[in-house]
Amino acid sequence: MAQTIEVTGLRKRYGDVRAVDGVTFAVEEGEFFGILGPNGAGKTTALEIIEGLREADEGQVSVLGMSPWPRNPGLLPRIGVQLQSSSFFERLTAREQLRTFGSLYGVPAGKSDAMLELVGLDGKADVPVEKLSGGQAQRLSIACALVHDPEIVFLDEPTAALDPQARRNLWDVLREISTGGRTVVLTTHYMDEAEILCDRVAIMDAGRILRLGPPAVLVRGLDAPARISVASGVLTAEDARLLPGADETGDDGVSLTISTRDPSAVVAAMAAKDALDGVQIRGATLEDVFLEVTGREYRA
Ligand SMILES: Nc1ncnc2c1ncn2[C@@H]1O[C@H](COP(=O)(O)OP(=O)(O)O)[C@@H](O)[C@H]1O
Ligand SMILES: [Mg+2]
């Protein structure tokens, strides 16, 4: 696979803060790559260096075989950038906004307009940008990053500050833009989002990459117990403890949860007791991976 982005030994300090503290990774052509981490992890700084918006203190970056710094005019038309704090031209409608962005790259108006449809905003073409909802504004800023049909698109927390429904709706758009061989690099502080959207994720904290790989591989690598929960009261805590295969048990008054490395034995025993009301079985998630590598709870 061709490496579209190669980052080696990247470092950036702001005064005493080591925002990016020795980061190395590569992104393959066509990959949906996620940089995942809590606020302050260094995601935006790393992304801005790769995009050519910021100079690194140390390290090498290659994007499509070119160095993004100093600003490389040969690279700009081939990448699309959605900044964390996206700003629009004032008082323009969604359509005008997108046409204006498109015109910077010589994109004809008709092609810009077609981009509204891709992000599900065709019904909002005549709405001034100030009147768009948070989710709609995010869609428009993604459309602006895509209007010139770049080979790589960088999205910095595109779903931050959206309600859960708008966030899920945007996932469909993000999947859509990654089809056709385009490379997508996304930062997020949402674990679930990274798990669902990304081919591979780099889990970042305090300027470093702690784990890198496909979400499922990172999660399986944990060898974490399964958690089986049922409605409180279905089983007493004592009965739960005595189930064959049960490790730890807990009851928060709503759910009784049993962790186990032998879920078949536990579920079979619970079924025999007719104690499966409201049953849910969960494996580990990326949050558990974060807890394992940092020793602390994940707080976005
Ligand atoms: N322009 C800046 N000047 C000084 N410190 C900064 C600047 N930008 C970011 N930082 C600091 O660098 C660290 C990483 O920030 P950032 O890259 O924005 O992380 P993230 O995007 O993961 O939230 C944080 O401690 C942040 O406060
Ligand atoms: Mg950021």
Side-chain angles (χ1 to χ4, degrees):
M1 262 289 180
Q3 314 260 272
T4 294
I5 299 169
E6 280 184 274
V7 176
T8 313
L10 196 64
R11 289 181 200 276
K12 178 77 186 180
R13 278 180 186 236
Y14 301 110
D16 290 343
V17 178
R18 294 164 190 257
V20 176
D21 194 18
V23 158
T24 298
F25 66 93
V27 180
E28 289 171 6
E29 190 181 327
E31 199 171 22
F32 199 129
F33 189 86
I35 302 175
L36 172 64
N39 282 327
K43 306 181 295 294
T44 296
T45 303
L47 207 62
E48 288 180 350
I49 292 169
I50 298 166
E51 293 161 348
L53 299 174
R54 220 175 252 293
E55 185 177 13
D57 293 340
E58 281 177 51
Q60 279 81 46
V61 180
S62 162
V63 177
L64 296 167
M66 294 177 260
S67 171
W69 188 274
R71 195 79 63 89
N72 187 335
L75 198 51
L76 295 181
R78 299 177 64 188
I79 67 173
V81 172
Q82 186 214 16
L83 299 177
Q84 183 157 19
S85 51
S86 54
S87 48
F88 297 120
F89 301 106
E90 273 176 54
R91 285 192 287 276
L92 297 187
T93 65
R95 182 195 285 116
E96 289 164 346
Q97 196 72 228
L98 199 48
R99 285 186 179 184
T100 306
F101 267 93
S103 68
L104 301 174
Y105 296 95
V107 177
K111 232 184 125 203
S112 295
D113 294 354
M115 199 55 69
L116 282 175
E117 197 178 334
L118 175 71
V119 299
L121 281 182
D122 32 334
K124 301 287 171 192
D126 296 315
V127 175
V129 288
E130 297 83 355
K131 300 240 164 88
L132 295 175
S133 72
Q136 290 162 353
Q138 284 291 30
R139 282 157 189 268
L140 182 60
S141 78
I142 292 171
C144 292
L146 284 171
V147 71
H148 55 298
D149 197 20
E151 289 156 67
I152 310 176
V153 57
F154 296 96
L155 307 167
D156 198 358
E157 302 219 15
T159 65
L162 297 184
D163 63 63
Q165 187 57 46
R167 206 153 69 85
R168 279 186 177 71
N169 291 341
L170 200 59
W171 292 354
D172 294 333
V173 172
L174 297 176
R175 283 200 191 89
E176 180 73 27
I177 66 173
S178 74
T179 59
R182 184 181 282 127
T183 307
V184 180
V185 181
L186 163 124
T187 72
T188 181
H189 62 247
Y190 293 113
M191 294 272 178
D192 56 346
E193 181 164 297
E195 206 159 349
I196 286 170
L197 291 173
C198 299
D199 298 319
R200 286 192 308 145
V201 294
I203 299 184
M204 215 177 155
D205 190 35
R208 293 169 186 252
I209 292 180
L210 305 175
R211 285 286 186 280
L212 195 156
V217 172
L218 296 182
V219 169
R220 293 213 183 284
L222 268 188
D223 188 29
R227 283 187 284 260
I228 301 169
S229 65
V230 289
S232 269
V234 169
L235 267 182
T236 66
E238 183 59 20
D239 284 344
R241 257 192 298 281
L242 295 174
L243 291 170
D247 294 333
E248 283 172 37
T249 62
D251 194 327
D252 62 7
V254 179
S255 301
L256 167 74
T257 301
I258 302 159
S259 66
T260 174
R261 291 181 183 276
D262 190 356
S264 324
V266 174
V267 172
M270 291 169 80
K273 290 180 186 292
D274 193 20
L276 287 175
D277 285 359
V279 68
Q280 288 184 332
I281 304 179
R282 278 163 297 150
T285 65
L286 279 179
E287 289 198 47
D288 299 305
V289 176
F290 187 85
L291 178 65
E292 161 103 355
V293 293
T294 64
R296 58 187 171 81
E297 297 286 328
Y298 185 87
R299 287 210 180 78

